[in-house]
Amino acid sequence: MQDIQPTILVVDDTEDNLDLLEFALKRKPVTMLRATSGRECLTLAAQHLPDVILLDIQMPEMDGFETLRRLRESPKTANIPVIFLTAARKDPTSIEQGLLLGADEYLTKPIDTEELIVRTKTLVRIKRIEAELERTKADFTAMLVHDLRSPIMGIRSILEFIREPIMQGKVLEKSHLDLVHSAHDAANRMLALINDMLDLSKFEAGKINLHPEPVSVKDLVEFTIRQMSIQLRQKEIDLRADVPEGLPSVSADPQKIGQVLMNLLSNALKFTPAHGVITVGARLPEGSSAPSGEAMVDVWVSNEGPGIMPNEIPALFERYKQMSSAKVAKEKGTGLGLAICKLIVEAHGGRITAESEPGKLTTFRFTLPTRGTGM
């Protein structure tokens, strides 16, 4: 997060107090605005939207409590953090009343400027995090609505189109049957999205029920490729498997690891241009072992395409994250697939990473523990 240099609106009816605080803050990394009454505070807060308001309780005409109440009633200033300023620590009633009205913190006179800056920066950080969470939530909601609305609209249009001949007792033509298949595909996409959301919620709660068994990585890769053969042919993608014979089996839940492979291959398929190449491979690297001492098999999926910017790689496996390459490639998604992959791989005792050369090649790798026996 960038270094925070906040703007503080200080409200005190005594000019000398404001002068002293302004002098004390002169060389500090803050900007100070000043108000000498509650009414002036309301005006300046609406005009400048400061990062924090330091509000004295004891003021004539409109005291700090009334000022805070009005700040919280206005949509423009309702979310500005407020630090109440009390005359003494032995005033718990005022502190409680201020907190109940919506104050975020309190300080006592005389003001410790270092403490003021620390508390101010903490409040600013919290507000920025909250704002980022709200943006993430809004972005995710928009993506979710888009991803569900599009197939639903398609299914409805298809049903309306084929309803008429059915109602008239006509035999459906091949074109009608093709539309039924499209509706089926759209329903599958919606179901996959809903399953991803349910899986992520369950996995993050620690409810990954694994049923490990000896699994051939080669067989698992070949099975996943067969499942995606139609999509690969439609986009004319050259999919290459690079899994040697005799690779040790891994101790894994085949269904869950199959889900990881399917997610990574589906992701690669989205960003690989027509006639491009996707490679799925596995090796037993020298010296690779889990904390338990078991050897680890390295599995990877690489693809040609726009790639990922280096500064975006650390956030790849966070939920709801959308990379800039998704916008360039005009690929929509919820950002759940890679988050699910990470949770599954780590539940197996492995780790997943990504590396990319923008405009050329992107590779996702994950490791799985072996059972120490050849296939």
Side-chain angles (χ1 to χ4, degrees), residues 280-296:
V280 187
R283 285 288 185 278
L284 185 62
E286 285 187 33
S288 175
S289 64
S292 62
E294 290 178 289
M296 303 291 283

Side-chain angles (χ1 to χ4, degrees), residues 30-328:
V30 298
T31 299
M32 176 177 156
L33 302 175
R34 48 196 288 168
T36 56
S37 68
R39 295 189 185 281
E40 188 179 9
C41 167
L42 297 175
T43 300
L44 291 176
Q47 286 178 349
H48 297 279
L49 299 178
D51 294 300
V52 172
I53 297 173
L54 179 61
L55 181 59
D56 190 18
I57 293 178
Q58 301 297 329
M59 294 188 295
E61 296 183 24
M62 185 187 299
D63 65 11
F65 298 123
E66 178 62 18
T67 303
L68 177 58
R69 186 182 66 78
R70 296 195 186 188
L71 284 168
R72 291 296 180 248
E73 285 178 349
S74 170
K76 199 168 186 181
T77 60
N79 294 319
I80 298 176
V82 172
I83 300 176
F84 248 163
L85 189 59
T86 66
R89 291 187 182 275
K90 297 179 181 179
D91 188 13
T93 302
S94 294
I95 293 170
E96 180 184 16
Q97 186 177 350
L99 294 175
L100 288 173
L101 283 169
D104 297 88
E105 285 275 10
Y106 75 91
L107 286 174
T108 57
K109 294 181 180 180
I111 299 171
D112 183 326
T113 54
E114 293 298 333
E115 184 179 4
L116 171 62
I117 290 172
V118 169
R119 294 201 183 199
T120 297
K121 287 188 174 184
T122 299
L123 289 173
V124 172
R125 285 193 183 95
I126 291 171
K127 286 297 176 184
R128 289 183 182 180
I129 292 170
E130 288 176 348
E132 178 63 27
L133 288 173
E134 284 299 315
R135 282 193 295 272
T136 300
K137 180 181 175 182
D139 290 346
F140 173 66
T141 301
M143 286 186 294
L144 185 60
V145 169
H146 175 275
D147 287 351
L148 289 177
R149 184 177 184 274
S150 295
I152 288 174
M153 293 293 290
I155 291 171
R156 188 180 73 173
S157 298
I158 289 168
L159 292 175
E160 288 175 349
F161 185 77
I162 66 174
R163 182 174 59 179
E164 185 176 348
I166 291 175
M167 295 295 290
Q168 294 175 358
K170 295 180 180 179
V171 176
L172 293 182
E173 300 175 0
K174 183 181 182 301
S175 59
H176 293 130
L177 294 175
D178 289 340
L179 289 173
V180 171
H181 290 311
S182 296
H184 184 260
D185 290 341
N188 281 337
R189 288 200 302 276
M190 285 192 296
L191 182 60
L193 172 59
I194 292 167
N195 285 339
D196 276 352
M197 294 175 65
L198 292 173
D199 281 349
L200 185 67
S201 176
K202 184 170 60 177
F203 293 169
E204 286 188 329
K207 297 177 181 177
I208 304 183
N209 295 318
L210 298 180
H211 302 284
E213 59 183 71
V215 176
S216 164
V217 175
K218 188 176 183 67
D219 289 348
L220 195 56
V221 166
E222 290 175 352
F223 176 75
T224 307
I225 290 173
R226 286 197 298 272
Q227 286 185 302
M228 297 194 64
S229 59
I230 294 176
Q231 299 98 304
L232 293 164
R233 283 200 302 269
Q234 286 175 339
K235 202 169 178 181
E236 298 182 325
I237 298 295
D238 179 12
L239 182 70
R240 301 171 183 175
D242 182 16
V243 184
E245 297 288 346
L247 191 68
S249 63
V250 294
S251 177
D253 184 320
Q255 184 177 358
K256 296 292 191 299
I257 296 302
Q259 185 178 358
V260 171
L261 276 172
M262 182 67 76
N263 281 351
L264 294 180
L265 277 171
S266 297
N267 195 62
L269 185 61
K270 286 181 184 179
F271 297 101
T272 304
H275 311 291
V277 177
I278 297 175
T279 302
V280 187
R283 285 288 185 278
L284 185 62
E286 285 187 33
S288 175
S289 64
S292 62
E294 290 178 289
M296 303 291 283
V297 169
D298 186 17
V299 185
W300 70 87
V301 176
S302 64
N303 68 283
E304 300 171 342
I308 305 162
M309 299 303 294
N311 63 309
E312 294 182 332
I313 287 179
L316 265 180
F317 300 99
E318 295 178 16
R319 58 180 182 171
Y320 312 137
K321 289 292 183 180
Q322 293 291 302
M323 301 299 110
S324 57
S325 55
K327 298 174 184 177
V328 173

